[in-house]
Amino acid sequence: MVIHSAAILVQKFSESYWMRSARSLSSVRPPVADKREAILRAATQVFARNGYFNSKVADIASAAGVADGTVYLYFKSKEEILHSIFDRTVDEAVKETREELQEVADPREKLRRIAYRHLERLGADRDLAVVFQVELRGSTKFMEEFSAAGFAAYLALIRATIEEGQRAGVFRAGLNAKVVSKILFGALDEMATNWILSRRRYKLAPLADQVLDIFLNGVSA
Amino acid sequence: MVIHSAAILVQKFSESYWMRSARSLSSVRPPVADKREAILRAATQVFARNGYFNSKVADIASAAGVADGTVYLYFKSKEEILHSIFDRTVDEAVKETREELQEVADPREKLRRIAYRHLERLGADRDLAVVFQVELRGSTKFMEEFSAAGFAAYLALIRATIEEGQRAGVFRAGLNAKVVSKILFGALDEMATNWILSRRRYKLAPLADQVLDIFLNGVSA
Amino acid sequence: MVIHSAAILVQKFSESYWMRSARSLSSVRPPVADKREAILRAATQVFARNGYFNSKVADIASAAGVADGTVYLYFKSKEEILHSIFDRTVDEAVKETREELQEVADPREKLRRIAYRHLERLGADRDLAVVFQVELRGSTKFMEEFSAAGFAAYLALIRATIEEGQRAGVFRAGLNAKVVSKILFGALDEMATNWILSRRRYKLAPLADQVLDIFLNGVSA
Amino acid sequence: MVIHSAAILVQKFSESYWMRSARSLSSVRPPVADKREAILRAATQVFARNGYFNSKVADIASAAGVADGTVYLYFKSKEEILHSIFDRTVDEAVKETREELQEVADPREKLRRIAYRHLERLGADRDLAVVFQVELRGSTKFMEEFSAAGFAAYLALIRATIEEGQRAGVFRAGLNAKVVSKILFGALDEMATNWILSRRRYKLAPLADQVLDIFLNGVSA
DNA sequence: AATGAATGAGCATTCATTCAT
DNA sequence: TATGAATGAATGCTCATTCAT
């Protein structure tokens, strides 16, 4: 009973973050993952709306519901947040695409899946799309670094599919698979960028068909 | 003789700056045009090397060989410099492309010219290419503004050629010319971006052939 | 007893900074109030010595013992600092004067108190006096804004006292109280300004007697 | 005849400023005086409307109808322009007041003339009044310098009249003439300042009567 | 882990003044 | 004398990052 009153006291404090976190470090620990996630999500939104350079870390923190300093417990710098958004998304896309490709055999169908999912992904989250199509482009250094990382893996998926098709005699053997894969990527990329910049609101993913129509026609043996 | 003395008088005055300046808009007083040009050139270089946001106006001024304040005699702001680089180049590209297209009749050949000149232009000035492929992309607002300006005119040239080819029965009539033109542009754009980001040094323009090979195959009737 | 253990728990937490801060707004966490005060004090000094326009925010910050950026945690701009100096002082003067006037009944004695305290206040802090007599005068906009604010309240005190004296038959009824109050204020103001500009060092407050001698003689019925 | 043709030639050039000025340096010379005057007038207006610190020399030049650089042919610096406005006006006021005082004998009437003319002068040129009542006050250094110059002479006129009145037994002998003269000046000064800051438009000069009513009553023997 | 007050480096822009013409 | 293009020193304010609590 008297203990109870103590418990009540404690319970009252238990609403404050530090008590919860003290309790959950070993067991639940949703805060950690949650906060990193929340910051990443908030940053995507803030970057998309204001542009990377015009976005303040304080804005991200506030949008994520954490204190300014907390951001630095999860990310080394503002730039690393941008990097992380890229990394997380590309890695996921690569993984997802890989799995999806295993379900299909026909190289043409594989490319169709890649293209469709590519646009579908971007079309599903406008803020993320803006970050990918606009904000991530504003830095040579950034693009250089990442063209060597996950992005290369993504392009490699396309390229491997092209080569597969060439070996299968479906695509013309004389084509440079590397260049060809960039052509497809560039075309899809342009669709995405235009979709973002357009004031009109339309579905992005269906454009994959038009792109593929021409592309496949163009590369077929 | 007395006339002579009058002539001398005049000759004497003809040395004063204001008389010379009337005579010499092109020779003696090139500073005006020259400085604007110099600043634009310097800015292209500085932006390409450091990125727009990391470039200081002082860097541009010093690279252009003028004082910091002088920059503001020719441009209202740092941003206007970036805009001017874009404007000048796109306007010129549109004009040049228009003229070139008049020399040819075959839509396929027209597209070939567009594509080749597109890559040739960027391949000829790496700094300018970096500004176009990287720095100009880092701002939604910027891209939105300009997609409606000179850039739209450039895309319209491609689109018009596509439509021309459709009317001539050279390209498939069922294709959406707008989308198709973006596909071509996107493919070329990706070639340019990859060229910039690559550490390897290769000729950019020749890639136009590979792009067109696939593209024309893809759209042909 | 068990209650006691609860109390202990609480006591344990009471050592953390956030609990202390709740308790110690006046003692442990004086930084907040202190820094604002320090900046205001430093600014008064810096403004008085260099003039408002020649004073750098960095000077104020350094004089206050804080970083440049800290100034902006307490004030929105350099101008707001000047405003705050004015506000704080006038508000206090009005309040103080009001209280003092309640202790007296005779309108003549009231004016004497006002005049004496007016000069005494300025005479007690030369830097503040300089800011008031010199720096605050250098802007029409500024003076217009404030003639409508606290300053009006101050002048109203004088005016009310005059009118009171008129009703009491002590001061001539025919006089325009508004103009009369400005005459007194103007005379005192000039004393203060001259005191500041003079290289001689003399007591300012005693001049109130000479001003009042003439003034009261002039307005008496 | 031939000479004539030379004369015609010369006449043609005579429209340019430098030839006119060459001719007129010895005789007409309106440009010099005119331009100095024009700049002073323009500066008064510009300072009054924007404040001294917010006024650009370029604004003054443009308002005066001369080139930026021309300003520096007549004044050493922006500050000297402000000084010159003060000097010119005070010197004139002192001279004018001196002359006016010689027409009168009665010290009371003399003060009346001083006060009336003081307010009349300021009331006649609002821009000049703003510069005097507001812009010139914003600098300790400035006020210090000038309290020792023409301004002192002006105050001395008032003081001398007071002393004259004391000797004549019209004003109380026990009063400190120096302080008394400042009281009068301060009262008038406040009238002027209030007139400027007020949005209401009323005649300034008539206020001299109310000021003098009280002042003379206050100092009379 | 979380907080947010404090820090201080960094920079675009202005504008008084100069000087070649 | 007049011009006005060019200069470059000067500074308020921002914001990523740190760190005491």
Side-chain angles (χ1 to χ4, degrees), chain A residues 18-102:
Chain A
W18 53 270
M19 286 216 70
R20 258 187 296 136
S21 66
R23 175 187 63 197
S24 54
L25 269 176
S26 47
S27 56
V28 189
R29 191 164 54 160
V32 176
D34 267 6
K35 272 183 184 152
R36 200 189 136 89
E37 239 343 272
I39 293 168
L40 243 22
R41 229 190 305 275
T44 302
Q45 197 178 95
V46 173
F47 288 161
R49 294 192 190 344
N50 313 322
Y52 174 73
F53 279 97
N54 293 316
S55 297
K56 303 172 215 171
V57 172
D59 292 342
I60 298 171
S62 128
V66 300
D68 294 15
T70 304
V71 171
Y72 289 86
L73 295 176
Y74 297 92
F75 302 93
K76 209 171 57 195
S77 66
K78 181 183 166 186
E79 196 181 19
E80 210 199 66
I81 301 176
L82 187 59
H83 287 209
S84 297
I85 293 174
F86 180 90
D87 284 345
R88 186 186 56 164
T89 311
V90 169
D91 288 352
E92 203 178 296
V94 168
K95 180 161 160 282
E96 191 184 291
T97 306
R98 269 203 193 111
E99 291 170 356
E100 192 148 352
L101 294 187
Q102 293 183 316

Side-chain angles (χ1 to χ4, degrees), chain D residues 17 35 70 74:
Chain D
Y17 76 87
K35 271 181 185 152
T70 303
Y74 297 92

